[in-house]
Amino acid sequence: MFLIIGYVIILAASLGTYAVHGSLAALWVPTEYIAIVGLTIGGFVAGNGPKAIKGTIAALPTIFKGSPYNKAFYVDVLCMLYEILAKVRKEGLMSIEGDIENPEASPILSKYPAFAADHHAVDFLCDYLRMMVGGNLNAFEIENLMDVEMETHHQEAHTPAHVVAKVGDAVPAFGIVVAVMGVVNVMGSVGQPPAVLGKMIGGALVGTFLGILISYGFVAPVAGQLEQKVEEGGKIYQCMKAVLLASMNGYAPQVAVEFGRKVLFSTDRPSFAELEEAIKSRK
């Protein structure tokens, strides 16, 4: 929604102010638009492999969706972690083996569909709970492994944002290419009347205008939105890491979830009282 609102403001500020003292018809040069779009798509395809292209295309629709990572979501995550750790504390680590091996049928995870829908987060949680059940790794070793996995996931998730940003950086240069092509066309028509040459030169400059406008007004905001989505989506792993490590270090479930609560962004972090009330209501 905000991306569309921003686009409207950008168009109003650029085309609207131009329309006050100029003719919008002068900006309508279809060949310039076709060339800019073609060069942009070509640069995107030529500069990336199949995985990056597929991942970027799949990530683009997410910028028009609201973020699922809000306070209610994290309250659910912390309550779920509390239930799992409380079960471990009461019945032992082997009691959660069924939850780990078949999370879709887990009585605990099935109570939290928003979390269960995030397959990467579910896999992350189950993998490290499985290591805890195995008992072969200590907290320090698991923390190092978590950091490596989170860094790998972070790099992979950032690929679409980096790809779009690079494409955006190239679009102004494509605009210059189109403008130069127009100028070359003008040079071949120097015998034409000044009015005709002026129109041709103006049409050539539209390429530069389009390249800069599309790059900074349309592509760069998309890259920024994708970047923010990645940062929001990465916080859940830090939250689970903090809770699981606190539990491995001997803290009670009530205290362990506090470690997770503290790593959340202030806008998404429930208060101590809110989390305590939520946990009590779900016992």
Side-chain angles (χ1 to χ4, degrees):
M1 175 59 77
F2 286 99
L3 181 67
I4 296 175
I5 293 173
Y7 282 169
V8 172
I9 294 173
I10 289 168
L11 289 173
S14 57
L15 301 183
T17 53
Y18 173 81
V20 173
H21 56 77
S23 172
L24 289 176
L27 299 177
W28 180 242
V29 186
T31 53
E32 303 279 326
Y33 289 83
I34 294 172
I36 287 284
V37 172
L39 287 167
T40 301
I41 295 174
F44 168 66
V45 174
N48 299 284
K51 289 184 179 179
I53 292 174
K54 184 178 179 180
T56 302
I57 293 174
L60 289 176
T62 64
I63 64 178
F64 299 103
K65 301 177 182 178
S67 174
Y69 304 105
N70 50 33
K71 182 184 290 188
F73 175 82
Y74 284 114
V75 167
D76 282 350
V77 170
L78 292 171
C79 287
M80 176 205 62
L81 291 170
Y82 173 84
E83 287 194 47
I84 291 174
L85 297 180
K87 184 177 180 180
V88 169
R89 195 173 185 86
K90 182 178 180 180
E91 305 175 21
L93 278 168
M94 296 304 296
S95 65
I96 61 170
E97 189 173 11
D99 300 287
I100 297 170
E101 299 304 330
N102 190 10
E104 294 82 6
S106 167
I108 295 177
L109 295 180
S110 60
K111 292 167 58 178
Y112 304 95
F115 175 80
D118 191 334
H119 300 295
H120 290 293
V122 171
D123 289 343
F124 182 90
L125 176 63
C126 291
D127 285 346
Y128 290 102
L129 287 174
R130 188 177 293 109
M131 292 181 188
M132 290 170 61
V133 171
N136 296 323
L137 297 175
N138 59 39
F140 179 75
E141 292 171 326
I142 287 184
E143 181 178 9
N144 287 337
L145 186 58
M146 283 181 173
D147 289 338
V148 172
E149 182 175 354
M150 289 166 60
E151 178 63 24
T152 300
H153 178 270
H154 195 67
Q155 291 179 354
E156 185 178 19
H158 267 89
T159 298
H162 290 160
V163 167
V164 174
K166 287 182 179 180
V167 170
D169 291 340
V171 175
F174 292 149
I176 294 174
V177 170
V178 173
V180 171
M181 291 167 60
V183 171
V184 170
N185 186 39
V186 172
M187 292 297 100
S189 306
V190 292
Q192 298 293 328
V196 175
L197 291 176
K199 185 176 181 180
M200 294 176 68
I201 293 173
L205 293 177
V206 169
T208 304
F209 160 75
L210 285 176
I212 297 173
L213 178 63
I214 292 173
S215 173
Y216 298 106
F218 291 87
V219 181
V222 171
Q225 288 273 5
L226 290 172
E227 185 81 18
Q228 292 176 25
K229 294 288 185 182
V230 172
E231 296 301 324
E232 291 175 352
K235 186 57 68 175
I236 185 175
Y237 300 98
Q238 297 176 11
C239 176
M240 290 190 290
K241 170 190 170 183
V243 174
L244 294 179
L245 290 177
S247 177
M248 292 189 69
N249 284 317
Y251 290 98
Q254 295 92 332
V255 179
V257 294
E258 273 298 297
F259 280 75
R261 186 180 73 86
K262 286 296 185 181
V263 306
L264 300 176
F265 292 124
S266 59
T267 53
D268 302 324
R269 183 192 306 145
S271 67
F272 176 86
E274 288 174 329
L275 180 57
E276 185 177 36
E277 182 62 29
I279 289 174
K280 289 179 179 179
S281 67
R282 302 181 195 197
K283 283 184 178 179

